[in-house]
Amino acid sequence: MGFSVEGGDFGALVEVFGKEVWMNWRRGLTMVLAFSAALLSSTVWGQGATTGSLSGKVVDEKGQPIPGASVTVTSNYLQGERGTATDVNGDFVIPYLPPASDYRVKAEAEGFNKVIQSNITVNLGSTTTMQITLAPGGTEIQVTAQAPAIALKEGKVSTQITQEELNTIPVGRSYQDALLLAPQVMPSGAGGNPAVAGGNSTSNQWVVNGLNTTDPVTGTFGSNLNFNFVREMEIDTGGLSAEYSGTSGGLFNVLTKSGTNEFHGEIFGYYTNDSMSANAHSTDLAVTKPTPFHRYDYGFDVGGPILKDRFWFFVGYNPVINSVHYEGEQIATNVNPYRPDVGSQLSVPYKYDDYRRTWTWATKFNYRVNDKHNLELAIFADPARMWDSEGPYTPALYNESRMNRRYQGGYNTVLRWYATWTPKIFMETTLGYNDKSLQVQPWDTSDLAYRTVESFDYNTGLYLSRGSQSMFSMNDRTTRQAQIKVTWLVGKHEIKFGGEGEWARSITFQDYSGGQFVEVLYNLRSANPASPNIHDYYYQWYVWNQNPRTDERTRYYAGFIQDSWSVTDFFNIKAGVRYEKNEMVPGAGQTLSLDSWSPRIHMAWDWAKNGKSKFYAFFGQYYDRPPGAFTSALDPGHGSYVARYSHYGTKHDYTDLSGNLADLVEPGIAPQYTNEFIVGNSYELKPDLTFDVRYTYRDVGRILEDVGYILPNGGYGYILMNPGTSYWPSQEQSWKAALGSTYAKPPRPIRHYEGLTLTLNRRFANR
């Protein structure tokens, strides 16, 4: 299916549509969704901005607006020249500018001097505001002063980190290592997934080049990049307007490098090993030397023009090789009370190397179709191969049982189209696709034929066969995404509306090597207490999966409308509403659909009336997107069978099935959300030096959780519900009858966050 549209017709369509939105936002939002669906019928969703904007006012020496003044901008990071004209109020907006600090702004009008202001900074995801004063005459005036560092119209609480800062600040090689530099971002204990403003490690949104890279199943980060490929990062910790997806954590927006009109590149290399690492000192004064390891990290990147001011490219490649050596022994004590050698010890030596290799690469192409249309294609990937061990945790007679091969990572593709249909109507469209995989297989594929056998005649357990200690698995996760945003300037109003969708699928096959996991107890036949023959043991348990394959899908749809209204030159209100719909579709069982409406409002006041002050306040609701893991909980038939045999395997005692029931879903269930209130004040103490004090309050209004309960047969079941805020009377009656006076309703969860943040920001003049 395709479409074609001419600029004039599209402008008329949006103008009529915008009037309808202004009259009735609910009806207008429905039209937005319908229009977006028609336009984006082929693919997927993007989230964070990949550009910034420049807005301002052109006035004369008396402060009166100059309508029709020409404003143009140039930069080494901008293809060609971008320009517009001021409206009747002297205002102008130039959107979709790549972040840079070398912008050159030229303003001119008939009968006035031409003014050229240099070294203007435009940050990722932000709007730089400036005022240009023209004096009567016919000469050219060069101005080098920076625009004010405070953006009155910007409501987000964000921290920008440039590539130059990443190169100079001592952090790790991954972009995730730099997130903790932002206020309100704290370690969560979950690897590279931090906690933000009271949220948890799965409450964040991860965006690279406008593509949502958040893992659709776990809610954690889904792609790796080293900072050599990063142009700029924006860390948003609050105050997100209606155009942004809900998150009770942070929004991490990363932009990779692009080419320019000049060729630039670098070759880099890093090496480290255990001799370069400090010893670990524990609280009991023990000193632990680092495990022997080697790490090689090297690569290159290069970018430049294919056609100057028309077609640019960037490409980067970064292999990373890690090897870690493990060597030692484990002691297992025989605890079989029926053997004369009970208490004897078995020494189990181990010696192996973990070997991991990752190939991270990124490429980007920027093409200027004409002065009004730009295209950007970015592809980045992080495939990895790992040969490592799951131990030494439980002693094993065969090292192969705890060694495996992992294949993980994937690739991401995103295409963005920036369009200027008229001086008042702008549009950005995003299409994207990502594919991630995780495969865990035995070190040697021939070991798939061996059943895993574990003896509990030893205090730590003892693996007796070459079968893998962990289940082998094959998982593939794909996501298609699409987004459209339209900006319409109407007088003092900047109206923005749009829609987006995401369609994710996760297919998994997970099973035991040999098809079964066998547990044995009481070896009474063999002189060898660690006999690998399962029929030497009086008791034998056989465990196997009911259905090892799952096929889960999630769907996400959203639409928004917001208005940024400049009530005066010194007072701005931005208000909007966002509609979101999450659908979880298991391979079988019940489909769950959750709808929500999120109001967001922000106000800002330049009380000094000089562009150097801002008192601001924000209120908003964020609805968390439920992780895809909930979808698998709704899918029945994926339990485990356990069969017990006694008398050395000759007598079948029982066969149980557990974990095969899908979660029950409480009627009237609703999505989880968080309320946020922010109030603060910023002031530019001197050029490029800003002080900000901010109070943040967050409160969880409702949570979505699966709550466990005891089944009549003694097993466990789960119910997906909103604990503490809604109940299921019929189900509660059965629980109360079973538990009597010991039954208590699930309490209402409480999570309050309050934070007072003081920041002193120094803006560097050059990047």
Side-chain angles (χ1 to χ4, degrees):
M1 178 179 178
F3 72 94
S4 62
V5 61
E6 295 181 2
D9 294 338
F10 182 82
L13 172 64
V14 176
E15 183 175 359
V16 173
F17 171 64
K19 291 179 180 178
E20 188 69 16
V21 170
W22 189 250
M23 294 169 58
N24 188 325
W25 62 264
R26 283 186 179 271
R27 181 180 174 191
L29 184 57
T30 303
M31 295 176 67
V32 172
L33 295 173
F35 176 70
S36 301
L39 186 63
L40 299 174
S41 58
S42 58
T43 344
V44 221
W45 170 51
Q47 182 55 244
T50 60
T51 61
S53 300
L54 182 68
S55 70
K57 179 184 282 290
V58 179
V59 299
D60 60 21
E61 290 181 311
K62 296 181 180 180
Q64 296 300 309
I66 301 177
S70 172
V71 181
T72 57
V73 298
T74 56
S75 166
N76 290 329
Y77 297 91
L78 180 67
Q79 291 177 321
E81 186 179 82
R82 197 80 58 82
T84 188
T86 59
D87 61 15
V88 293
N89 300 306
D91 296 324
F92 68 90
V93 175
I94 303 178
Y96 310 141
L97 298 176
S101 61
D102 67 340
Y103 275 97
R104 188 170 179 264
V105 181
K106 179 175 65 175
E108 54 187 330
E110 186 176 352
F112 292 88
N113 291 330
K114 180 192 302 182
V115 171
I116 299 176
Q117 190 162 340
S118 304
N119 299 325
I120 301 299
T121 297
V122 174
N123 286 120
L124 177 64
S126 298
T127 299
T128 298
T129 305
M130 60 188 303
Q131 179 169 297
I132 304 173
T133 302
L134 302 184
T139 61
E140 181 177 295
I141 300 175
Q142 297 280 346
V143 180
T144 58
Q146 274 274 21
I150 295 175
L152 185 67
K153 295 182 180 180
E154 188 56 59
K156 290 182 298 184
V157 177
S158 62
T159 301
Q160 274 81 23
I161 301 178
T162 66
Q163 182 208 351
E164 289 75 14
E165 291 166 337
L166 288 172
N167 284 331
T168 55
I169 297 174
V171 295
R173 295 275 295 129
S174 172
Y175 78 90
Q176 293 96 324
D177 296 318
L179 299 176
L180 299 179
L181 297 174
Q184 297 182 294
V185 181
M186 302 292 291
S188 69
N193 298 279
V196 177
N200 57 43
S201 61
T202 60
S203 300
N204 305 311
Q205 289 284 319
W206 303 80
V207 180
V208 180
N209 290 326
L211 182 75
N212 177 26
T213 61
T214 310
D215 190 292
V217 175
T218 64
T220 55
F221 75 84
S223 293
N224 290 291
L225 277 176
N226 77 63
F227 65 68
N228 290 88
F229 302 161
V230 173
R231 170 64 185 156
E232 188 164 322
M233 294 173 54
E234 179 189 31
I235 306 170
D236 298 323
T237 56
L240 298 177
S241 61
E243 67 177 292
Y244 297 100
S245 176
T247 169
S248 60
L251 172 60
F252 306 132
N253 186 19
V254 178
L255 179 69
T256 62
K257 291 180 180 178
S258 301
T260 66
N261 274 332
E262 299 178 351
F263 286 99
H264 294 279
E266 63 178 333
I267 298 175
F268 53 86
Y270 303 85
Y271 171 76
T272 186
N273 60 31
D274 53 286
S275 66
M276 302 179 186
S277 302
N279 295 333
H281 296 261
S282 64
T283 55
D284 60 0
L285 303 183
V287 178
T288 304
K289 292 185 177 181
T291 302
F293 75 93
H294 297 273
R295 178 183 173 89
Y296 304 86
D297 183 340
Y298 56 93
F300 73 92
D301 62 69
V302 62
I306 298 175
L307 294 173
K308 284 194 173 183
D309 284 328
R310 179 69 65 180
F311 194 13
W312 294 347
F313 81 95
F314 169 82
V315 61
Y317 179 64
N318 176 210
V320 178
I321 301 172
N322 282 289
S323 65
V324 184
H325 180 74
Y326 296 95
E327 186 173 348
E329 68 172 355
Q330 294 173 285
I331 302 298
T333 302
N334 190 298
V335 293
N336 184 348
Y338 302 105
R339 291 189 63 91
D341 53 356
V342 61
S344 62
Q345 293 184 328
L346 177 67
S347 174
V348 183
Y350 61 87
K351 182 179 180 180
Y352 58 89
D353 291 277
D354 282 356
Y355 181 79
R356 304 185 178 194
R357 183 163 186 169
T358 303
W359 298 268
T360 303
W361 56 269
T363 187
K364 183 184 287 186
F365 298 93
N366 297 84
Y367 181 66
R368 182 169 67 95
V369 181
N370 52 43
D371 291 341
K372 297 183 181 299
H373 297 274
N374 293 76
L375 297 175
E376 178 181 282
L377 174 66
I379 306 172
F380 49 98
D382 61 345
R385 300 292 181 266
M386 305 177 185
W387 294 263
D388 58 15
S389 172
E390 296 296 327
Y393 302 117
T394 302
L397 298 182
Y398 298 89
N399 270 338
E400 291 84 354
S401 73
R402 58 187 170 203
M403 300 169 68
N404 60 43
R405 294 177 297 152
R406 287 176 178 257
Y407 303 85
Q408 68 183 53
Y411 67 91
N412 307 268
T413 304
V414 56
L415 175 66
R416 294 177 71 88
W417 169 30
Y418 304 98
T420 300
W421 296 103
T422 74
K424 301 292 184 182
I425 298 174
F426 315 102
M427 184 183 74
E428 56 180 303
T429 305
T430 303
L431 306 176
Y433 180 81
N434 51 38
D435 190 328
K436 303 177 178 67
S437 66
L438 172 61
Q439 298 184 29
V440 180
Q441 300 179 11
W443 187 283
D444 189 328
T445 54
S446 64
D447 291 334
L448 284 171
Y450 292 91
R451 290 185 299 187
T452 304
V453 181
E454 183 178 11
S455 168
F456 286 97
D457 280 1
Y458 288 85
N459 62 332
T460 58
L462 178 67
Y463 283 92
L464 306 176
S465 73
R466 293 170 60 100
S468 177
Q469 290 188 19
S470 60
M471 285 192 287
F472 71 90
S473 64
M474 291 171 284
N475 173 260
D476 187 63
R477 303 170 187 179
T478 58
T479 310
R480 296 177 296 128
Q481 306 178 23
Q483 180 192 63
I484 182 173
K485 292 181 181 180
V486 176
T487 302
W488 181 31
L489 306 180
V490 184
K492 294 287 187 176
H493 298 272
E494 183 178 316
I495 301 172
K496 183 176 286 189
F497 53 86
E500 59 191 62
E502 177 177 334
W503 300 265
R505 184 180 186 184
S506 175
I507 301 175
T508 303
F509 186 91
Q510 188 175 50
D511 208 353
Y512 298 102
S513 61
Q516 288 181 328
F517 183 89
V518 183
E519 298 172 344
V520 294
L521 182 65
Y522 299 153
N523 174 8
L524 305 179
R525 284 184 168 180
S526 174
N528 177 10
S531 170
N533 184 357
I534 62 176
H535 296 295
D536 287 336
Y537 295 82
Y538 187 82
Y539 288 112
Q540 303 159 21
W541 288 266
Y542 296 83
V543 183
W544 68 97
N545 288 333
Q546 181 185 17
N547 180 2
R549 186 181 187 275
T550 61
D551 187 353
E552 320 293 359
R553 302 169 190 257
T554 59
R555 296 191 285 258
Y556 172 79
Y557 306 98
F560 76 93
I561 182 170
Q562 68 184 36
D563 177 25
S564 180
W565 177 25
S566 296
V567 183
T568 71
D569 290 341
F570 309 107
F571 188 76
N572 178 266
I573 296 176
K574 181 185 289 186
V577 64
R578 182 178 185 85
Y579 169 76
E580 294 175 294
K581 184 182 186 68
N582 288 278
E583 293 182 348
M584 289 173 276
V585 186
Q590 182 177 356
T591 297
L592 179 62
S593 180
L594 301 171
D595 299 81
S596 63
W597 292 87
S598 307
R600 318 264 177 93
I601 184 168
H602 172 267
M603 61 78 61
W605 173 40
D606 179 5
W607 47 268
K609 297 184 178 181
N610 58 5
K612 297 181 179 181
S613 68
K614 183 171 76 169
F615 173 81
Y616 57 94
F618 171 85
F619 172 78
Q621 283 186 345
Y622 305 123
Y623 281 83
D624 283 328
R625 296 182 58 183
F630 274 154
T631 309
S632 61
L634 299 173
D635 196 358
H638 298 284
S640 295
Y641 287 101
V642 178
R644 192 182 84 167
Y645 288 79
S646 60
H647 295 79
Y648 307 101
T650 61
K651 179 185 177 184
H652 174 243
D653 296 328
Y654 61 81
T655 298
D656 283 342
L657 174 62
S658 62
N660 62 308
L661 299 178
D663 280 11
L664 299 174
V665 178
E666 181 183 45
I669 194 172
Q672 177 172 312
Y673 74 90
T674 298
N675 294 312
E676 180 181 68
F677 173 72
I678 298 174
V679 61
N681 188 76
S682 298
Y683 190 76
E684 188 173 344
L685 302 175
K686 63 179 184 178
D688 300 324
L689 184 64
T690 304
F691 175 75
D692 180 83
V693 57
R694 178 177 68 253
Y695 169 78
T696 303
Y697 175 81
R698 282 185 172 184
D699 174 46
V700 172
R702 180 174 55 231
I703 73 165
L704 179 66
E705 188 58 84
D706 48 350
V707 177
Y709 62 94
I710 301 174
L711 296 169
N713 63 1
Y716 288 92
Y718 293 89
I719 177 172
L720 196 60
M721 63 183 301
N722 302 124
T725 56
S726 59
Y727 301 100
W728 191 348
S730 60
Q731 188 67 36
E732 286 190 16
Q733 289 299 323
S734 64
W735 293 342
K736 190 172 183 179
L739 299 176
S741 61
T742 62
Y743 171 72
K745 291 183 177 181
R748 184 183 186 278
I750 298 175
R751 186 172 73 191
H752 295 309
Y753 170 84
E754 294 184 74
L756 182 64
T757 307
L758 306 176
T759 58
L760 189 66
N761 294 318
R762 173 70 166 87
R763 183 175 63 182
F764 293 97
N766 296 298
R767 299 193 177 200

